Amino acid sequence: MPVKDATRRFSSRVDNYVRYRPGYPPEILELLKKACGLTTKSVIADIASGTGIFTRLLLENGNRVFGVEPNPEMRRAGERFLESHAGFTSVAGTAEATTLPDHKVDFVTAAQAAHWFDREKARREFIRILKLHGWAVLLWNERRTDSTPFLREYEQLLLTYGTDYQEVRQERTTAEITGFFAPSPFRSRGLEMRQELDYAGLEGRLLSSSYVPTSDQANYEPMLRELQRIYKAHQVSDRVRLEYNTLVYYGQLE
């Protein structure tokens, strides 16, 4: 699953990540309660917790959460974002070496992150920190690419200007998910999410992505000019819509 320099590649994008990345549908909590026995007493390790977007959903459910994040800039942003939540503990660690004690948690979660992990090492680490009969949950907001004319043009912009967009985009496959859980069985569920964005929000969402040029690169300004053109062509009442399929994979590792 890993792609080069995964730990540091978001360092320059933290502000946009905090402000413009989408959240996750609250239906995830209901799914985990019904399918996995999640309760407010469940202890969770949220791996690669980043700025705390998914972590907050867990904390607001009343859970104690260890946010394990290797990137110092992202981790500090998460600490600021979640400082009012008494159940949050920030941990400097990785998916492959969380630093957590053996059999500490009921759930291990990873939102928008598991494609960066070393699959075999992370799986062993998850088994080590999970309690008996604990659950591993991997989830992604997968942006729809062709359900509207706007989304088709936005996808083409990424294909044209993205630095390693296709490599990252294709990193998560059914075989990768099966390989992570194997030989344990797992289940999956799809949910819907969307963002309504003005131009500033759309630009911020684009720039939060690790696979687009930064301001010191030659194709940065042409990319933004194309983004402005696409926005003007498709905005309705000064808004465009990004649509997502939120994919949730969950199972008990053996």
Side-chain angles (χ1 to χ4, degrees), residues 29-251:
L29 294 176
E30 295 307 312
L31 169 64
L32 297 182
K33 289 173 185 177
K34 292 178 181 178
C36 310
L38 175 73
T39 72
T40 58
K41 295 183 179 179
S42 300
V43 179
I44 301 171
D46 190 26
I47 309 300
S49 54
T51 62
I53 297 172
F54 183 64
T55 317
R56 182 174 66 173
L57 189 65
L58 300 171
L59 291 166
E60 290 176 346
N61 188 54
N63 295 103
R64 183 182 181 192
V65 184
F66 294 89
V68 179
E69 172 55 48
N71 182 294
E73 292 83 4
M74 297 283 276
R75 190 169 62 251
R76 286 192 291 269
E79 290 165 354
R80 291 192 296 270
F81 184 54
L82 302 171
E83 62 184 355
S84 64
H85 293 274
F88 175 64
T89 301
S90 179
V91 178
T94 67
E96 301 80 13
T98 63
T99 78
L100 296 176
D102 293 355
H103 311 304
K104 178 71 173 178
V105 300
D106 302 289
F107 285 79
V108 173
T109 61
Q112 214 72 22
H115 51 291
W116 304 118
F117 301 166
D118 181 304
R119 185 176 71 198
E120 295 302 324
K121 291 180 180 179
R123 189 183 190 281
R124 287 197 297 270
E125 180 70 353
F126 289 7
I127 291 173
R128 184 186 69 79
I129 66 174
L130 277 167
K131 297 177 185 177
L132 186 64
H133 306 308
W135 290 83
V137 182
L138 310 180
L139 60 146
W140 286 268
N141 281 327
E142 186 173 89
R143 180 177 42 79
R144 296 177 185 173
T145 61
D146 63 358
S147 55
T148 68
F150 163 69
L151 293 177
R152 287 193 287 273
E153 290 208 53
Y154 186 79
E155 176 70 3
Q156 186 56 54
L157 178 146
L158 296 176
L159 291 170
T160 301
Y161 294 100
T163 52
D164 58 352
Y165 172 63
Q166 294 191 70
E167 180 184 359
V168 174
R169 181 76 175 173
Q170 295 171 2
E171 194 67 23
R172 181 177 65 260
T173 65
T174 300
E176 290 282 343
I177 299 298
T178 301
F180 182 85
F181 282 97
S184 307
F186 70 94
R187 287 179 283 172
S188 63
R189 174 81 178 272
L191 302 168
E192 294 186 352
M193 261 286 298
R194 68 184 186 186
Q195 282 179 296
E196 303 280 348
L197 299 169
D198 60 12
Y199 178 75
L202 180 64
E203 181 178 304
R205 173 65 183 88
L206 174 68
L207 297 180
S208 75
S209 301
S210 67
Y211 44 72
V212 301
T214 52
S215 59
D216 58 338
Q217 295 177 294
N219 52 354
Y220 176 81
E221 291 297 339
M223 177 186 70
L224 291 188
R225 286 196 293 271
E226 176 63 5
L227 185 70
Q228 291 164 5
R229 184 197 68 76
I230 293 171
Y231 178 81
K232 290 177 182 177
H234 297 287
Q235 61 82 25
V236 176
S237 300
D238 201 28
R239 290 289 188 278
V240 291
R241 177 183 295 177
L242 290 177
E243 300 175 347
Y244 302 88
N245 297 318
T246 301
L247 306 177
V248 187
Y249 303 89
Y250 52 100

